[in-house]
Amino acid sequence: MRYIFSFRSRNAALRFRDDLYRNGVSCTLINTPQEAGVGCGLSVRIEASQLTAANRVLGIYPNAYYAGTFELNVNGYVVRQL
């Protein structure tokens, strides 16, 4: 299982990715799947094993920048919003 974190600005997505790297969380910057229907077009994808650590890092971001977290299926399609 994989998850994506979507943001309202590309800059916030890039900063979140960098903050995850600095905190030892493996992640990838991807184009936001259309099914999500939110955000700036970029999202940060993580593996399920990294979700708790990523949520800790997310806690430092103002809600104004954060658009949502989504669960992806094995094909990369959005299953549900968390």
Side-chain angles (χ1 to χ4, degrees):
M1 191 73 55
R2 292 179 173 171
Y3 296 91
I4 60 168
F5 290 81
S6 295
F7 294 86
R8 291 189 173 87
S9 78
R10 297 171 78 80
N11 189 41
L14 293 168
R15 279 190 291 149
F16 184 64
R17 180 204 53 190
D18 293 345
D19 287 341
L20 289 177
Y21 282 148
R22 276 194 287 279
N23 284 277
V25 178
S26 298
C27 62
T28 305
L29 193 66
I30 65 165
N31 292 322
T32 303
Q34 286 184 327
E35 304 87 42
V38 298
C40 64
L42 290 179
S43 290
V44 179
R45 184 181 67 208
I46 62 161
E47 298 294 328
S49 62
Q50 301 289 314
L51 185 59
T52 301
N55 278 327
R56 274 196 299 268
V57 173
L58 180 66
I60 66 171
Y61 282 79
N63 285 339
Y65 296 130
Y66 173 65
T69 301
F70 299 86
E71 182 179 328
L72 303 179
N73 66 14
V74 293
N75 296 321
Y77 293 102
V78 172
V79 174
R80 66 186 173 110
Q81 184 173 4
L82 300 183

